[in-house]
Amino acid sequence: MTATQERPDTAAAKEIGRDRRRKEDQRLITGRSRWTDNITLPGMLHLAMVRSPFAHATITGIDVTEAQAAPNVVAVLTGKDLGESQGACINAWAITTDQVTPAHVPMPSDRVAFAGETVAVVVARSAAAARDAAELVDVEYDELPAALDLKEAAAADAEHGVLAHPDLGTNRSALWTFDSAEAGTGGDADQAIARARAEGIVIEREYRQQRLIPAFMEPRSTVVDPTGEQITMWSATQIPHILRFALAASTGVPESKIRVIAPDVGGGFGGKLQQTPEEMITFAVARRLGKPVKYTETRSESLMTAHHGRDQWQRLTLAAEKDGTVTGLKVELIADLGAYVSLIGGGVPVLGAFMYNAIYKFPAYHFSCQTVLTNKTWTDAYRGAGRPEATYAIERLMDELAAEVGVDPFVVREKNWITKEEFPFTTVAGLEYDTGDYESATREAKDRFGYDELRAEQRRRREAGDRVQLGIGVSTFTEMCGLAPSRVLGSLNYGAGGWEHASVRMLATGTVEVTTGASAHGQGHETAFSQIVADRLGVAFEDVEILHGDTSIASKGLDTYGSRSLVVGGEALVRAADKVIEKAKPIAAHLLEASVDDIEFSAGRFGVRGTDQGLAMAEIAMAAFAAHNLPDGIEPSLDSDATYDPVNFNYPHGTHLCAMEVDTETGGVLMRKYTCVDDVGTVINPMIVEGQVHGGLAQGIAQALWEEAVYDDSGTLVSGSFVDYLLPTSADTISFDVSHRSTASTTNTLGTKGVGEAGTIASTPAVVNAVVDAIRHLGIDDIQMPCTPERVWRAIHDVAGGGGTDTEGAAAPHFDASTGMQGTVDRTDGADR
Amino acid sequence: MTRIEVTVDGSKVTDDVEPRMLLVQYLRETLGKTGTVVGCDTSNCGACTVHLDGRSVKSCNVLAVQASGHEVTTIEGLAATGGHADGQLHPVQEAFRECHGLQCGFCTPGMIMQAVDLLNENPSPTEEDVRLGMEGNLCRCTGYHNIVKSVLHAAGGAR
Ligand code: FES
Ligand code: FES
């Protein structure tokens, strides 16, 4: 599957591959940024949400009199007041045709289904006045039993147990399955497992993917101005285009009457890939009052109500021969949707379904996922979305298989992975991996890491019976990214396509205005895309302006998620730029008095073959603008656009290695070293790529060690502030040894692969594998995430028969001198930490 | 309402504010200094960090009235009040750009203000000093790797 334009002429590639400092930075480091909450419009009103303290309750009455009378309050509105004008929150991906999908009214008037759901909104002249008055709204509830535990909710039915939505009669939303025997992509997993039980190895495990909170640093904020011909919404969102579609589709306001702008957006990680109730309520209030309104959430509101991620139980059965050759894999998931099926919601585990076989040649595979409704915050995409869960499961299992066979974790991996010569390779899940070189990435990673030396040290410390043991974790991951071929999405019943759009406008003065439908929020599109266009058109990097995140400026697009911007959006850019060149050629030929066939374009210049005559792109742009002397039938414009629909996903991969020290007396864990070598295809800007990996690593490591959204028995989020939800700090993390290789992908012209999610997907199993590896000799083969000192301590004491419950000892800050930065903590002797 | 007089980024301003108004609200809402941002409601994130008489404070943790009679420097005035010519960056700002110490940039104003304070106190920090000194500022994008590098880079430049 290749569908590419001509490869770039490498002589002209001055920008691609270069560590350009980012164009975005100047405004961000000087405080000239345009966050949504910065926007103030004349007469603008402010909203505060009144939220349910109960996870599940009937609303029996709302008294707004006192709030209404409070100073500077303009209106207090309930779900009844807004009625149908609020529209609905859409589920864009019913994963099965019989999926049970509860109606999701942004502000319900009869029943709340999770703690934090909005029941009334106060509109006031200032945010402070709105918040004060929100305290005065008197809501009466009849509390209902809440479905909270995922396994219990999955087992419940109308007769037994608690239902999240009693009217639905079930908590089970959809059961999605994939069977390689049925699909014709492999054999029967159950048979493979039965065979392995008789004469091979069967590894059976159950892993918990704890609930996580994306926790972007900029709280969500929305401003709606209904005073123009179009209603304008500014929102801290990853998806201005999808949001505009959803606003129109669910409120009946014509799409052409809505403009959505995502100005500077402070991080998303999937967490702002949503059509939120708050956006819908703000939109409805603005329309009703005819005034600009703003809503900005507090951090507590954000943690409680912005969608969460992960939250699955994974039952896994791996079959292998005695020598470690894998023969089958069976995956049974239950996934917590929370109270509603969100925009992508149930589709997240389905995205993972194609990745459990990972880089290995499984001959048989069976996957099933039951999505389940509970009375908790809804879940949706969080960095990696389905693929981290899959990668975690398989990379943990491969380590368990190695332990069972009694060999180094790399031995079973090498035995089973797709070799370099075997690409393109069609997997048991039905995907065609275009390229990969697991051998080289692994060799390089082991060298950089000092794998053999660390194994030797591990042996020494184990033999000496050191209190602090060393563990080494391996993760050889791949992922599918660049979402996504529209036809594939269609076959999975997804509600939209996966294409991307770009336009290139040559301005008269020779500068270039580019629009992209990929809406950045920290990824550096303005810089990397400028580099691509500069090379393609042979213009200066500084002369390219990238515009995005506004449906009136970049009118078409499908936004930023799933590591798609570069591989899909970048290809659209290349194609739009190539059309500009094609449109310029006849004009150049005309002006140079040559035949079009003799015009050659290179490094920004249209030359006549065999002569030294030529014109620069800027000169053609001016000629097109003036239009005084154009060939007949040629329009006076070089502007072009392109909409690109990918033909395949894109498969970056890498080898990640992690060394962890585990204090067997306190259960404390410390990261000593982290090395990764990722193959991300052609790199446009190495500095940005490394930054993406660093950030991804920290998030993946945080899942392994620190983060977990915890609810109490009544359904209240107890990790509801940054005091309780433990984002890593600079003192918790170390400097990483990050490098990359570049096997060009064949799925796009530039040969790029996605990189936004790689670090997150790969690192979680590397860390947990390392923790388990450090104490496996004590008889431990799993620690549930996050691997807190308490959990590690308990695991050690449970096997030792020691028992006991008192534990303490948070992970101390730690630093690594080995990564070339100044570090001071001596890591080899951890005995008295 | 209480009358306050503050010097913000080199300019004297006078306002009547509610006694409960936070310094960060005063900066953002009254003065339009939106370069300073709010990331949390528990004083954990450090996104709102500014300088009060040259020392870093979380401006969500200071009342506007407490700033009266004092000097506040925000990210917007950092370069100018540090004596850098118009349009020039403070060396720490420059270091963050040079070392890719920011992605979405939301934590960045706070990070830079905190880093400046750290380097004022300790012009030659080790990586450990930097990591401990920046612990009160959260970043979700960078994994801190390049933030630490930026601060060390700025320190190297200052030496
Ligand atoms: S906003 Fe001040 S510390 Fe978070
Ligand atoms: S750069 Fe986004 S939070 Fe730090």
Side-chain angles (χ1 to χ4, degrees), chain A residues 233-270:
Chain A
M233 172 185 278
W234 290 262
S235 197
T237 181
Q238 293 174 230
I239 53 162
H241 298 91
I242 295 173
L243 181 55
R244 178 202 205 195
F245 170 86
L247 283 165
S250 78
T251 63
V253 176
E255 196 177 348
S256 57
K257 289 287 182 193
I258 302 172
R259 174 184 185 186
V260 177
I261 302 171
D264 282 330
V265 175
F269 319 110

Short mmCIF file of all heavy atoms in Angstrom, two decimals, chain A residues 233-270:
data_model
loop_
_atom_site.label_atom_id
_atom_site.label_comp_id
_atom_site.label_asym_id
_atom_site.label_seq_id
_atom_site.Cartn_x
_atom_site.Cartn_y
_atom_site.Cartn_z
N MET A 233 -17.56 30.61 18.49
CA MET A 233 -17.15 29.96 19.74
C MET A 233 -15.63 29.85 19.75
O MET A 233 -15.04 29.30 18.84
CB MET A 233 -17.77 28.56 19.85
CG MET A 233 -17.21 27.77 21.05
SD MET A 233 -17.80 26.05 21.15
CE MET A 233 -19.38 26.27 21.94
N TRP A 234 -15.02 30.39 20.80
CA TRP A 234 -13.62 30.10 21.06
C TRP A 234 -13.60 28.99 22.10
O TRP A 234 -14.35 29.07 23.09
CB TRP A 234 -12.90 31.30 21.66
CG TRP A 234 -12.67 32.46 20.74
CD1 TRP A 234 -11.52 32.73 20.06
CD2 TRP A 234 -13.57 33.52 20.43
NE1 TRP A 234 -11.66 33.89 19.34
CE2 TRP A 234 -12.91 34.41 19.54
CE3 TRP A 234 -14.88 33.82 20.81
CZ2 TRP A 234 -13.50 35.55 19.04
CZ3 TRP A 234 -15.49 34.96 20.30
CH2 TRP A 234 -14.80 35.82 19.43
N SER A 235 -12.80 28.01 21.91
CA SER A 235 -12.78 26.96 22.93
C SER A 235 -11.40 26.33 23.03
O SER A 235 -10.68 26.22 22.03
CB SER A 235 -13.83 25.89 22.61
OG SER A 235 -14.08 25.11 23.76
N ALA A 236 -11.04 25.94 24.24
CA ALA A 236 -9.78 25.23 24.47
C ALA A 236 -10.01 23.79 24.06
O ALA A 236 -10.24 22.92 24.88
CB ALA A 236 -9.38 25.33 25.94
N THR A 237 -9.96 23.56 22.75
CA THR A 237 -10.30 22.24 22.23
C THR A 237 -9.25 21.77 21.24
O THR A 237 -8.55 22.58 20.63
CB THR A 237 -11.68 22.28 21.52
OG1 THR A 237 -12.01 20.98 21.04
CG2 THR A 237 -11.68 23.27 20.33
N GLN A 238 -9.13 20.45 21.09
CA GLN A 238 -8.27 19.88 20.06
C GLN A 238 -8.99 19.81 18.72
O GLN A 238 -8.39 19.51 17.71
CB GLN A 238 -7.86 18.44 20.44
CG GLN A 238 -6.97 18.31 21.63
CD GLN A 238 -6.72 16.86 22.02
OE1 GLN A 238 -6.88 16.52 23.18
NE2 GLN A 238 -6.31 16.00 21.09
N ILE A 239 -10.32 19.99 18.75
CA ILE A 239 -11.11 19.61 17.57
C ILE A 239 -12.09 20.68 17.12
O ILE A 239 -13.30 20.44 17.10
CB ILE A 239 -11.86 18.29 17.85
CG1 ILE A 239 -12.68 18.39 19.15
CG2 ILE A 239 -10.91 17.10 17.90
CD1 ILE A 239 -13.78 17.34 19.27
N PRO A 240 -11.62 21.86 16.74
CA PRO A 240 -12.57 22.89 16.32
C PRO A 240 -13.50 22.45 15.20
O PRO A 240 -14.68 22.80 15.21
CB PRO A 240 -11.65 24.04 15.87
CG PRO A 240 -10.30 23.45 15.67
CD PRO A 240 -10.22 22.30 16.61
N HIS A 241 -12.98 21.68 14.25
CA HIS A 241 -13.82 21.30 13.11
C HIS A 241 -14.89 20.29 13.49
O HIS A 241 -16.04 20.41 13.11
CB HIS A 241 -12.95 20.75 11.97
CG HIS A 241 -11.98 21.76 11.44
ND1 HIS A 241 -10.70 21.88 11.94
CD2 HIS A 241 -12.10 22.71 10.48
CE1 HIS A 241 -10.08 22.86 11.29
NE2 HIS A 241 -10.90 23.38 10.40
N ILE A 242 -14.49 19.29 14.26
CA ILE A 242 -15.45 18.28 14.68
C ILE A 242 -16.48 18.92 15.61
O ILE A 242 -17.67 18.62 15.55
CB ILE A 242 -14.72 17.09 15.35
CG1 ILE A 242 -13.83 16.39 14.32
CG2 ILE A 242 -15.71 16.12 15.98
CD1 ILE A 242 -12.94 15.31 14.89
N LEU A 243 -16.00 19.83 16.44
CA LEU A 243 -16.91 20.51 17.37
C LEU A 243 -17.96 21.32 16.62
O LEU A 243 -19.15 21.31 16.96
CB LEU A 243 -16.09 21.42 18.28
CG LEU A 243 -16.83 22.20 19.36
CD1 LEU A 243 -17.65 21.27 20.24
CD2 LEU A 243 -15.84 22.99 20.22
N ARG A 244 -17.53 22.01 15.57
CA ARG A 244 -18.48 22.79 14.78
C ARG A 244 -19.55 21.88 14.18
O ARG A 244 -20.75 22.17 14.23
CB ARG A 244 -17.72 23.51 13.67
CG ARG A 244 -18.60 24.32 12.76
CD ARG A 244 -17.88 24.52 11.44
NE ARG A 244 -18.35 25.72 10.77
CZ ARG A 244 -18.10 25.97 9.49
NH1 ARG A 244 -17.37 25.15 8.79
NH2 ARG A 244 -18.56 27.06 8.92
N PHE A 245 -19.09 20.75 13.65
CA PHE A 245 -20.03 19.77 13.09
C PHE A 245 -21.02 19.33 14.16
O PHE A 245 -22.23 19.28 13.94
CB PHE A 245 -19.25 18.57 12.53
CG PHE A 245 -20.12 17.43 12.14
CD1 PHE A 245 -20.70 17.37 10.88
CD2 PHE A 245 -20.39 16.40 13.04
CE1 PHE A 245 -21.53 16.31 10.53
CE2 PHE A 245 -21.21 15.34 12.70
CZ PHE A 245 -21.78 15.29 11.44
N ALA A 246 -20.49 19.00 15.34
CA ALA A 246 -21.35 18.47 16.40
C ALA A 246 -22.33 19.53 16.91
O ALA A 246 -23.48 19.22 17.21
CB ALA A 246 -20.49 17.94 17.56
N LEU A 247 -21.87 20.77 17.01
CA LEU A 247 -22.77 21.85 17.43
C LEU A 247 -23.93 21.97 16.46
O LEU A 247 -25.10 22.05 16.85
CB LEU A 247 -22.01 23.18 17.47
CG LEU A 247 -21.07 23.44 18.66
CD1 LEU A 247 -20.14 24.61 18.35
CD2 LEU A 247 -21.87 23.71 19.93
N ALA A 248 -23.60 21.95 15.17
CA ALA A 248 -24.65 22.10 14.16
C ALA A 248 -25.57 20.89 14.17
O ALA A 248 -26.80 21.03 14.20
CB ALA A 248 -24.01 22.27 12.78
N ALA A 249 -24.98 19.71 14.17
CA ALA A 249 -25.79 18.50 14.06
C ALA A 249 -26.72 18.34 15.25
O ALA A 249 -27.82 17.81 15.12
CB ALA A 249 -24.88 17.28 13.92
N SER A 250 -26.28 18.79 16.43
CA SER A 250 -27.11 18.49 17.60
C SER A 250 -28.00 19.66 18.02
O SER A 250 -28.87 19.49 18.86
CB SER A 250 -26.24 18.03 18.77
OG SER A 250 -25.63 19.12 19.39
N THR A 251 -27.79 20.87 17.49
CA THR A 251 -28.66 21.98 17.88
C THR A 251 -29.55 22.46 16.73
O THR A 251 -30.48 23.22 16.94
CB THR A 251 -27.86 23.21 18.34
OG1 THR A 251 -27.06 23.68 17.24
CG2 THR A 251 -26.97 22.89 19.51
N GLY A 252 -29.22 22.04 15.52
CA GLY A 252 -30.01 22.50 14.38
C GLY A 252 -29.57 23.86 13.85
O GLY A 252 -30.09 24.33 12.84
N VAL A 253 -28.61 24.50 14.51
CA VAL A 253 -28.06 25.75 13.95
C VAL A 253 -27.27 25.36 12.70
O VAL A 253 -26.45 24.45 12.75
CB VAL A 253 -27.14 26.45 14.97
CG1 VAL A 253 -26.50 27.69 14.35
CG2 VAL A 253 -27.91 26.82 16.23
N PRO A 254 -27.52 26.04 11.56
CA PRO A 254 -26.80 25.63 10.35
C PRO A 254 -25.28 25.72 10.56
O PRO A 254 -24.80 26.67 11.17
CB PRO A 254 -27.26 26.65 9.30
CG PRO A 254 -28.52 27.22 9.83
CD PRO A 254 -28.45 27.14 11.32
N GLU A 255 -24.57 24.75 10.04
CA GLU A 255 -23.11 24.70 10.22
C GLU A 255 -22.47 26.00 9.70
O GLU A 255 -21.51 26.50 10.27
CB GLU A 255 -22.55 23.48 9.47
CG GLU A 255 -21.15 23.11 9.88
CD GLU A 255 -20.65 21.84 9.18
OE1 GLU A 255 -21.47 21.13 8.57
OE2 GLU A 255 -19.44 21.58 9.24
N SER A 256 -23.05 26.52 8.63
CA SER A 256 -22.50 27.75 8.03
C SER A 256 -22.67 28.96 8.94
O SER A 256 -22.06 30.00 8.73
CB SER A 256 -23.18 28.02 6.69
OG SER A 256 -24.58 28.11 6.89
N LYS A 257 -23.49 28.83 9.96
CA LYS A 257 -23.71 29.94 10.88
C LYS A 257 -22.83 29.82 12.13
O LYS A 257 -23.00 30.56 13.10
CB LYS A 257 -25.18 30.00 11.31
CG LYS A 257 -26.12 30.44 10.21
CD LYS A 257 -25.98 31.93 9.96
CE LYS A 257 -26.95 32.41 8.89
NZ LYS A 257 -26.60 33.78 8.43
N ILE A 258 -21.95 28.86 12.13
CA ILE A 258 -21.11 28.64 13.32
C ILE A 258 -19.65 28.75 12.92
O ILE A 258 -19.21 28.19 11.90
CB ILE A 258 -21.36 27.23 13.92
CG1 ILE A 258 -22.84 27.05 14.29
CG2 ILE A 258 -20.48 27.03 15.16
CD1 ILE A 258 -23.19 25.64 14.71
N ARG A 259 -18.90 29.47 13.72
CA ARG A 259 -17.45 29.54 13.55
C ARG A 259 -16.83 29.10 14.86
O ARG A 259 -17.19 29.60 15.92
CB ARG A 259 -17.06 30.97 13.22
CG ARG A 259 -15.56 31.21 13.17
CD ARG A 259 -15.28 32.69 12.93
NE ARG A 259 -13.86 32.93 12.75
CZ ARG A 259 -13.33 34.15 12.64
NH1 ARG A 259 -14.12 35.21 12.69
NH2 ARG A 259 -12.03 34.31 12.50
N VAL A 260 -15.92 28.14 14.79
CA VAL A 260 -15.24 27.70 16.00
C VAL A 260 -13.76 28.02 15.88
O VAL A 260 -13.13 27.76 14.85
CB VAL A 260 -15.44 26.19 16.25
CG1 VAL A 260 -14.67 25.74 17.49
CG2 VAL A 260 -16.92 25.86 16.43
N ILE A 261 -13.24 28.59 16.95
CA ILE A 261 -11.82 28.96 16.97
C ILE A 261 -11.16 28.29 18.17
O ILE A 261 -11.65 28.40 19.29
CB ILE A 261 -11.65 30.49 17.10
CG1 ILE A 261 -12.35 31.21 15.93
CG2 ILE A 261 -10.16 30.86 17.14
CD1 ILE A 261 -12.40 32.72 16.08
N ALA A 262 -10.09 27.57 17.90
CA ALA A 262 -9.25 27.07 18.98
C ALA A 262 -7.99 27.93 18.95
O ALA A 262 -7.13 27.73 18.12
CB ALA A 262 -8.90 25.60 18.74
N PRO A 263 -7.91 28.91 19.84
CA PRO A 263 -6.72 29.79 19.80
C PRO A 263 -5.53 29.03 20.38
O PRO A 263 -5.41 27.84 20.13
CB PRO A 263 -7.17 30.98 20.66
CG PRO A 263 -8.27 30.47 21.53
CD PRO A 263 -8.85 29.25 20.87
N ASP A 264 -4.65 29.66 21.10
CA ASP A 264 -3.61 28.85 21.75
C ASP A 264 -4.29 27.91 22.73
O ASP A 264 -5.16 28.32 23.51
CB ASP A 264 -2.64 29.77 22.51
CG ASP A 264 -1.65 30.44 21.55
OD1 ASP A 264 -1.33 29.82 20.51
OD2 ASP A 264 -1.22 31.57 21.83
N VAL A 265 -3.94 26.64 22.65
CA VAL A 265 -4.57 25.64 23.50
C VAL A 265 -3.48 24.97 24.33
O VAL A 265 -2.49 24.49 23.79
CB VAL A 265 -5.35 24.61 22.65
CG1 VAL A 265 -5.91 23.50 23.53
CG2 VAL A 265 -6.48 25.29 21.89
N GLY A 266 -3.69 24.97 25.64
CA GLY A 266 -2.66 24.52 26.57
C GLY A 266 -2.69 23.04 26.86
O GLY A 266 -3.00 22.60 27.95
N GLY A 267 -2.36 22.26 25.84
CA GLY A 267 -2.28 20.82 26.02
C GLY A 267 -3.63 20.16 25.85
O GLY A 267 -4.69 20.79 26.01
N GLY A 268 -3.60 18.89 25.47
CA GLY A 268 -4.85 18.16 25.28
C GLY A 268 -4.67 16.69 25.64
O GLY A 268 -5.35 16.16 26.49
N PHE A 269 -3.75 16.03 24.92
CA PHE A 269 -3.45 14.61 25.17
C PHE A 269 -4.69 13.74 25.02
O PHE A 269 -4.84 12.74 25.71
CB PHE A 269 -2.82 14.42 26.55
CG PHE A 269 -1.83 15.49 26.90
CD1 PHE A 269 -2.10 16.44 27.87
CD2 PHE A 269 -0.64 15.58 26.20
CE1 PHE A 269 -1.21 17.46 28.14
CE2 PHE A 269 0.27 16.59 26.47
CZ PHE A 269 -0.01 17.53 27.44
N GLY A 270 -5.59 14.14 24.14
CA GLY A 270 -6.85 13.42 24.00
C GLY A 270 -7.94 14.00 24.89
O GLY A 270 -9.13 13.87 24.61
#
